[in-house]
Amino acid sequence: MYNHTTSVYRLGQRAFSTRANLKTAHRFYTPSSHNALDQQQQQQQNSETSKDNNNNTGGHSKESAEEIGVFRAYGKPVATLFLWSALTYMTFQAVWSKLYFDEVRLETEAKIDDLKDELDKLEHTR
């Protein structure tokens, strides 16, 4: 069955998800692309029904296909967020380590200077 909205949304192998994008959808619409899209949709429906018939027990269900769609939709932004947060964390860790090392070095140098002064006092008292 012909569904005008679905075919307009999927014209030219592009997903037009908002009404604003439908304004540009007419550029990709041709009658031949419409027929090709109908054929693709029928093939997908036929392959889904044959998979469902063949894999009644151990195969993937439509629910897992929806879950894959969720990962496909949100996977890239989540991965980007994870990578940026990891980079930020490593940068802050490196800065903190550098500052901490400088603080420990200064404390150690101060302790060494105190010990040298004490040694000089002991040598002069002899």
Side-chain angles (χ1 to χ4, degrees):
M1 179 171 195
Y2 174 66
N3 186 351
H4 179 68
T5 1
T6 307
S7 48
V8 169
Y9 276 104
R10 296 181 185 206
L11 287 175
Q13 300 295 324
R14 293 178 61 173
F16 296 98
S17 58
T18 62
R19 287 182 183 244
N21 288 335
L22 286 175
K23 292 178 183 176
T24 60
H26 72 280
R27 292 187 222 159
F28 301 102
Y29 180 75
T30 60
S32 61
S33 67
H34 170 69
N35 292 335
L37 288 170
D38 282 344
Q39 290 174 357
Q40 287 177 353
Q41 288 175 353
Q42 287 175 356
Q43 289 174 355
Q44 288 175 353
Q45 289 172 354
N46 291 339
S47 64
E48 287 175 4
T49 55
S50 65
K51 285 180 184 178
D52 289 342
N53 292 337
N54 293 336
N55 299 328
N56 287 334
T57 55
H60 299 287
S61 65
K62 289 183 181 179
E63 294 174 3
S64 65
E66 290 174 3
E67 290 173 7
I68 291 172
V70 168
F71 289 124
R72 184 173 285 172
Y74 297 109
K76 187 174 180 180
V78 169
T80 304
L81 177 69
F82 174 76
L83 290 175
W84 278 109
S85 61
L87 178 67
T88 304
Y89 173 78
M90 285 189 250
T91 303
F92 284 141
Q93 185 69 28
V95 169
W96 179 82
S97 297
K98 172 73 172 134
L99 292 173
Y100 182 74
F101 177 76
D102 289 345
E103 181 183 349
V104 169
R105 185 177 47 84
L106 289 174
E107 288 175 359
T108 307
E109 287 176 357
K111 195 181 286 186
I112 289 172
D113 289 340
D114 289 343
L115 290 172
K116 282 183 181 178
D117 290 341
E118 190 177 332
L119 234 156
D120 287 341
K121 286 180 186 176
L122 287 175
E123 285 180 1
H124 289 303
T125 56
R126 282 187 174 183

